[in-house]
């Protein structure tokens, strides 16, 4: 590493999005540092530094003079919302956000920008016009999203409250990111389609907001390098679409003519056995990236067909 090399810190960077970002910024010649709870990290991309996600210690010095800190920590929400899982989902987002804020505040030479993961699920379930960053925030009983909206609010609150003068802050209200990595939804959807189970889910009318992994990485780079942008930013492709259209497009890309639909009760039973929650599927998320578009960001994959075709060509 030389002194002129830009440094990016990826807290929770060992997961799906972190590994994608690590590869992206290594390609750009940056010094990439992943903060992980693993004591003996192996197979990570870039430098691996151990932390516990809640206490200040020697990892703090990595933040000194960094170009960017990106916080991606959080237990996956793809689980049953038992009392124990709810606590872990909340703690794994709130505690690392708090301790990063404290570490940045104590830096004599603070990082230029801090991007904290958040979620586009913060916006209200809607079948009407799309939500940009000024969209309505809140839960709806029919979307069963009370807990996820609570998580989103509780996640953004310590981030908003953190006093980090000299460090620009951006809350990344991210939609479902489509990629080939572990934890990505795309391989799961494609498997369903290939098994002939790729019909509409529930009513099929619910909107799906999404973003290609490549555009996610490019957008993060864009937000880091455009120092006039701060506050909440939607990380979403510009063309959300109803679930039934998404599934039809994927069937066409996979050349599978038919797909059995899944009714609401089938989703409930399936979610129980897969240890997940139907809200991840039935909520109508219609979110658009107004601030990215207004700042001039160009999407490489603006439509889901382009995204599916690209991802299908990348993996088996
Ligand atoms: N993937 C998406 O489509 C998507 C969409 C919207 C929002 N998000 C949010 O973006 C973030 C990154 O997503 P992802 O898909 O990359 O998730 P992921 O693959 O599950 O990775 C999250 C990372 O968080 C770390 N972590 C988990 N619990 C922690 C804790 N208690 N304290 C500190 N670190 C902890 C883990 O790293 P170590 O085990 O190495 O410490 C893990 O590798 C998550 O917060 C997620 O909710 C993701």
């Amino acid at each position: 590493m030389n002194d002129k090399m830009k440094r990016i810190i990826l807290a929770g960077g060992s997961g799906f999005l972190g590994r994608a970002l690590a590869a992206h910024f290594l390609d750009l010649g940056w010094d990439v540092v992943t903060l992980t709870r693993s004591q003996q990290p192996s197979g990570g991309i870039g430098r691996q530094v151990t932390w516990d996600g809640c206490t200040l210690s020697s990892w703090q010095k990595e933040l000194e003079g960094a170009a960017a800190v990106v916080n991606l920590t959080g237990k996956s929400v793809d689980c049953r919302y038992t009392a124990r899982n709810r606590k872990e989902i909340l703690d794994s987002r709130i505690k690392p956000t708090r301790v990063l804020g404290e570490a940045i505040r104590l830096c004599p030479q603070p990082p230029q920008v801090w991007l904290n993961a958040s979620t586009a699920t913060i916006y209200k379930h809607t079948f009407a016009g799309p939500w940009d960053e000024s969209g309505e925030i809140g839960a709806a009983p029919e979307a069963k999203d009370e807990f996820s909206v609570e998580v989103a609010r509780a996640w953004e609150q310590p981030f908003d409250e953190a006093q980090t003068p000299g460090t620009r802050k951006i809350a990344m209200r991210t939609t479902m990111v489509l990629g080939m990595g572990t934890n990505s939804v795309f391989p799961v959807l494609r498997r369903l389609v290939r098994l002939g189970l790729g019909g509409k889910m529930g009513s099929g009318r619910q909107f799906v907001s999404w973003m290609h992994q490549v555009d996610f990485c490019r957008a993060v780079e864009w937000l880091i390098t455009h120092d006039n942008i701060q506050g909440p930013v939607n990380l979403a492709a510009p063309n959300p679409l109803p679930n039934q259209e998404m599934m039809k497009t994927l069937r066409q890309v996979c050349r599978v003519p038919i797909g059995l639909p899944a009714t609401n009760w089938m989703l409930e039973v399936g979610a129980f056995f897969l240890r997940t929650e139907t809200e991840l599927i039935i909520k109508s998320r219609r979110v658009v990236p107004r601030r990215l578009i207004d700042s001039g960001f160009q999407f490489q994959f603006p439509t889901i067909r382009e995204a599916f075709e690209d991802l299908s060509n990348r993996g088996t």
Side-chain angles (χ1 to χ4, degrees):
M1 180 187 41
N2 65 47
D3 287 347
K4 294 217 175 95
M5 216 176 191
K6 287 187 179 166
R7 188 174 350 112
I8 183 167
I9 314 301
L10 303 173
S14 59
F16 165 48
L17 296 182
R19 294 173 74 88
L21 286 177
H24 180 86
F25 283 92
L26 271 185
D27 272 357
L28 295 176
W30 289 38
D31 175 24
V32 175
V33 179
T34 291
L35 300 183
T36 171
R37 291 165 305 158
S38 172
Q39 293 298 322
Q40 283 163 332
S42 62
I45 307 173
R47 288 196 289 129
Q48 311 290 306
V49 171
T50 303
W51 75 332
D52 66 0
C54 55
T55 327
L56 295 174
S57 71
S58 56
W59 57 266
Q60 279 176 260
K61 65 177 185 297
E62 296 291 347
L63 273 55
E64 199 62 50
V69 173
V70 182
N71 178 22
L72 299 159
T73 57
K75 174 184 166 55
S76 172
V77 293
D78 188 9
C79 59
R80 291 301 276 185
Y81 295 162
T82 58
R84 186 177 165 181
N85 282 342
R86 283 173 192 249
K87 181 169 171 13
E88 277 183 38
I89 286 171
L90 283 163
D91 284 354
S92 62
R93 289 171 170 77
I94 296 168
K95 289 182 181 175
T97 302
R98 281 207 190 114
V99 80
L100 281 170
E102 185 62 0
I104 292 172
R105 189 181 66 77
L106 294 170
C107 275
Q109 198 194 337
Q112 288 163 27
V113 58
W114 172 20
L115 294 92
N116 215 56
S118 176
T119 168
T121 285
I122 199 164
Y123 297 112
K124 205 150 190 185
H125 171 72
T126 183
F127 292 96
W131 298 130
D132 62 15
E133 287 83 353
S134 62
E136 190 180 344
I137 287 173
E142 65 272 33
K144 300 185 176 180
D145 61 346
E146 198 179 326
F147 176 63
S148 357
V149 174
E150 178 194 333
V151 171
R153 284 195 163 119
W155 202 355
E156 289 197 6
Q157 190 183 341
F159 182 61
D160 290 341
E161 288 171 356
Q163 297 297 316
T164 58
T167 300
R168 192 160 52 92
K169 293 194 295 180
I170 295 175
M172 301 185 291
R173 291 184 175 163
T174 309
T175 55
M176 169 176 81
V177 179
L178 298 173
M180 291 306 298
T182 321
N183 291 359
S184 170
V185 178
F186 176 74
V188 180
L189 287 178
R190 188 173 57 176
R191 206 171 311 128
L192 280 177
V193 165
R194 285 176 172 168
L195 289 170
L197 301 172
K200 68 179 182 182
M201 296 164 175
S203 74
R205 289 174 52 240
Q206 71 277 28
F207 277 83
V208 182
S209 291
W210 60 277
M211 189 178 210
H212 191 295
Q213 173 185 314
V214 165
D215 279 331
F216 173 79
C217 295
R218 292 173 63 248
V220 169
E221 182 191 342
W222 179 268
L223 296 173
I224 290 173
T225 51
H226 285 72
D227 55 18
N228 54 334
I229 306 176
Q230 56 185 334
V233 174
N234 293 345
L235 274 82
N239 296 299
L241 74 174
N243 169 282
Q244 62 188 355
E245 277 180 37
M246 175 182 82
M247 296 311 293
K248 184 175 168 195
T249 307
L250 187 54
R251 289 197 305 273
Q252 289 169 344
V253 169
C254 294
R255 298 193 176 81
V256 176
I258 44 167
L260 285 181
T263 59
N264 277 335
W265 72 263
M266 287 159 97
L267 291 173
E268 291 290 349
V269 173
F272 178 78
F273 284 108
L274 294 170
R275 313 307 296 156
T276 187
E277 292 284 340
T278 50
E279 174 243 321
L280 300 175
I281 295 172
I282 60 174
K283 177 167 179 176
S284 187
R285 299 171 169 89
R286 196 173 190 188
V287 176
V288 286
R290 171 66 46 221
R291 300 194 65 201
L292 278 174
I293 289 172
D294 286 353
S295 63
F297 182 77
Q298 302 278 332
F299 285 83
Q300 204 169 313
F301 299 98
T303 67
I304 208 153
R305 182 176 295 279
E306 289 163 288
F308 282 159
E309 281 172 351
D310 175 74
L311 291 169
S312 293
N313 290 334
R314 282 173 193 247
T316 49

